[in-house]
Amino acid sequence: MMARKILIVCLGNICRSPTAEVVLRDKARAAGIDLVVDSAGTGDWHVGEPPHPPMVRAALRAGYDLSGVRARQISAGDFGRFDLILAADEENLADVEALRPAGDTTPLSLFAPYAGNGLRAIPDPYFTDDFDGALALVERAADGLIAQLQ
Ligand code: 4NP
């Protein structure tokens, strides 16, 4: 797989996708893989905000620094700027697909299946309160994706 610029998308861009952005970037660097990773949300409620504090704390306990991320909303223009777009759940996937410009062929799929544990989506910790569980699934999916990139 030649994907070298990856965009991860969730709903608010303050929990799942900023976590995935930093975890994937850190793991790629540790693996010696040259990867550009960004994240965005399908919604605009939190644009400009840092990630959700309990998500930041859960990530920090595991050694990931989310403090530099600011939420942004995905736009159609993102399709031309990434080699691969990964969605946190099925709703995000459908919402991103709806933004695809005519003729664009950028691969778009779910992120969680890279974990290889049968899960299709990352349950949204903004609603479940399971920030550690979301982080653990993100880490496992990132490991699976890195393995494919190697
Ligand atoms: P995320 O979680 O999609 O993982 O960033 C959410 C954060 C905020 C909202 C929804 C989901 N919200 O509705 O404000």
Side-chain angles (χ1 to χ4, degrees):
M1 190 201 239
M2 293 301 292
R4 286 296 180 261
K5 291 189 70 179
I6 298 177
L7 178 67
I8 304 171
V9 183
C10 65
L11 181 56
N13 194 208
I14 58 168
C15 293
R16 296 166 295 174
S17 64
T19 302
E21 173 189 335
V22 171
V23 169
L24 190 56
R25 183 184 297 131
D26 283 9
K27 285 182 176 291
R29 188 179 297 127
I33 294 174
D34 189 15
L35 212 61
V36 173
V37 190
D38 193 10
S39 67
T42 59
D44 67 357
W45 311 283
H46 300 283
V47 168
E49 294 178 15
H52 196 40
M55 189 72 254
V56 173
R57 290 192 291 270
L60 201 56
R61 286 194 292 273
Y64 302 101
D65 177 10
L66 306 191
S67 66
V69 182
R70 293 295 177 273
R72 74 175 183 90
Q73 188 175 30
I74 188 175
S75 69
D78 282 311
F79 276 89
R81 293 195 278 269
F82 294 91
D83 302 306
L84 174 65
I85 303 177
L86 296 171
D89 65 30
E90 311 267 10
E91 180 189 19
N92 306 147
L93 185 73
D95 290 344
V96 174
E97 185 60 49
L99 293 172
R100 182 191 294 278
D104 181 277
T105 58
T106 307
L108 165 66
S109 64
L110 292 166
F111 179 54
Y114 286 98
N117 59 1
L119 292 180
R120 301 258 308 149
I122 306 170
D124 193 341
Y126 192 77
F127 301 111
T128 68
D129 255 348
D130 186 7
F131 296 93
D132 291 312
L135 174 66
L137 179 54
V138 164
E139 287 186 288
R140 189 164 167 168
D143 284 336
L145 178 53
I146 294 283
Q148 283 201 18
L149 292 171
Q150 275 168 332

